[in-house]
Amino acid sequence: MLSTPSLEAKKVQPNMKIGRVLVVEDEDLIRETIALTLSEEGYEVLTAVDGRSALEIIQTTIGKGNALPRSFPSAAQESAKLDLIILDLMLPYVNGLDLCRLVRREGNSIPILMLSAKGTETDRVVGLEVGADDYLTKPFGMRELVARCRALLRRHQQFQSSTQAPTLKFQDITVFPQECRVTVRGEEVNFSPKEFKLLELFMSHTKRVWSREQLLERIWGPDFIGDSKTVDVHIRWLREKLEIDPSNPEYLVTVRGFGYRFG
Ligand code: CA
């Protein structure tokens, strides 16, 4: 029923995988067409024919495996990580809305593209309300589906890279931006939000000299009403937490006539 002439020509190297997609759709033709199209585009594709088997695959990726008995062990092995879920709304056993809700309840932010035969505004709204990122109404063209998938993955990757700030390390000071945590000489030290943001900024640009005005602008924002003494006060607090001898700082140094420098 489906022709595969271009599959060989577009065959992608295993290490060129651009994303792993789970396609959940009970209509065979649609599921297979989507799977084929996405494979041709270079995606690795997993498929599920109903809500229950989809749940099996999803649970192995988000760590909760107790809601339903495991009957698809091979799927569990295969689905170490998913990048996108394409989810039909009406499915046997567990419908798309419930699956979507479940994924979000676990705090997983994987992009979800919902498919539906119905096209009413209500369905769309409900789909988005339970946490779908986008919505396609059947019938749809494969080109549009691919475009939506690409956009969702791109947006998600941008979001991930903006939220997954790397650990910052300078000598014996380590900042964990995502956990809002700092260790100084191996000891956990508490920082106020402003102190933390300052330290994060300094450690992201070691050796760079910052004027008080620049620091005010970056940390307190352009609308801040107050003077640059605020910066000096925070620098003093930072030194008390970072320096062995705060009156003789080694990390957070004053650059006379200019401002402050870290490192
Ligand atoms: Ca269906």
Side-chain angles (χ1 to χ4, degrees):
M1 202 179 303
L2 296 160
S3 62
T4 61
S6 56
L7 195 56
E8 277 305 306
K10 284 193 183 176
K11 203 168 182 179
V12 175
Q13 300 299 314
N15 58 353
M16 296 275 288
K17 182 176 87 76
I18 53 172
R20 191 167 221 209
V21 184
L22 171 64
V23 180
V24 190
E25 166 64 80
D26 56 322
E27 286 172 68
D28 294 342
L29 180 62
I30 298 179
R31 185 184 61 252
E32 282 161 20
T33 308
I34 294 174
L36 180 68
T37 306
L38 292 180
S39 322
E40 284 181 338
E41 291 293 323
Y43 295 94
E44 192 178 340
V45 183
L46 301 174
T47 55
V49 297
D50 58 52
R52 195 184 292 165
S53 54
L55 194 58
E56 284 290 328
I57 296 175
I58 290 166
Q59 279 171 342
T60 61
T61 67
I62 61 178
K64 296 275 175 181
N66 304 324
L68 285 170
R70 290 182 180 283
S71 48
F72 297 83
S74 61
Q77 288 156 9
E78 282 171 26
S79 56
K81 186 182 171 290
L82 290 176
D83 299 297
L84 173 74
I85 302 175
I86 297 175
L87 194 54
D88 186 30
L89 187 66
M90 301 298 285
L91 291 163
Y93 306 122
V94 186
N95 71 45
L97 289 179
D98 287 339
L99 277 172
C100 192
R101 248 185 232 119
L102 248 157
V103 171
R104 295 301 183 233
R105 202 190 295 152
E106 299 298 334
N108 195 297
S109 64
I110 183 171
I112 297 177
L113 171 61
M114 205 160 252
L115 308 178
S116 172
K118 306 182 206 167
T120 70
E121 190 65 17
T122 323
D123 288 327
R124 190 186 150 79
V125 168
V126 171
L128 296 176
E129 261 176 12
V130 298
D133 299 277
D134 201 359
Y135 202 94
L136 260 181
T137 304
K138 296 173 192 172
F140 50 84
M142 284 302 129
R143 213 179 279 180
E144 166 140 40
L145 178 98
V146 169
R148 300 278 188 110
C149 288
R150 274 203 201 117
L152 281 174
L153 282 165
R154 197 170 50 234
R155 232 157 57 199
H156 189 65
Q157 277 154 7
Q158 279 165 358
F159 174 74
Q160 295 274 75
S161 57
S162 68
T163 51
Q164 284 182 355
T167 301
L168 302 166
K169 197 162 168 49
F170 183 83
Q171 293 178 8
D172 44 14
I173 297 172
T174 312
V175 173
F176 304 89
Q178 267 178 296
E179 301 159 44
C180 298
R181 210 159 59 78
V182 182
T183 58
V184 180
R185 291 175 282 284
E187 299 275 319
E188 193 105 359
V189 178
N190 289 323
F191 286 79
S192 75
K194 285 280 187 291
E195 291 166 359
F196 185 86
K197 280 171 96 179
L198 257 176
L199 181 61
E200 192 183 7
L201 180 68
F202 275 123
M203 286 190 53
S204 313
H205 308 273
T206 49
K207 306 281 180 208
R208 175 181 164 165
V209 178
W210 297 86
S211 71
R212 289 169 178 78
E213 291 69 31
Q214 285 172 328
L215 292 172
L216 272 180
E217 166 100 22
R218 291 288 283 264
I219 305 299
W220 281 265
D223 300 327
F224 175 73
I225 302 166
D227 62 27
S228 54
K229 286 206 181 65
T230 308
V231 175
D232 298 335
V233 170
H234 278 78
I235 295 287
R236 200 171 72 225
W237 290 340
L238 273 183
R239 281 174 174 161
E240 279 166 11
K241 294 178 178 182
L242 299 173
E243 305 284 348
I244 296 171
D245 176 7
S247 57
N248 196 9
E250 286 174 34
Y251 300 102
L252 202 38
V253 186
T254 304
V255 184
R256 243 165 248 300
F258 293 98
Y260 296 104
R261 187 192 76 209
F262 191 92

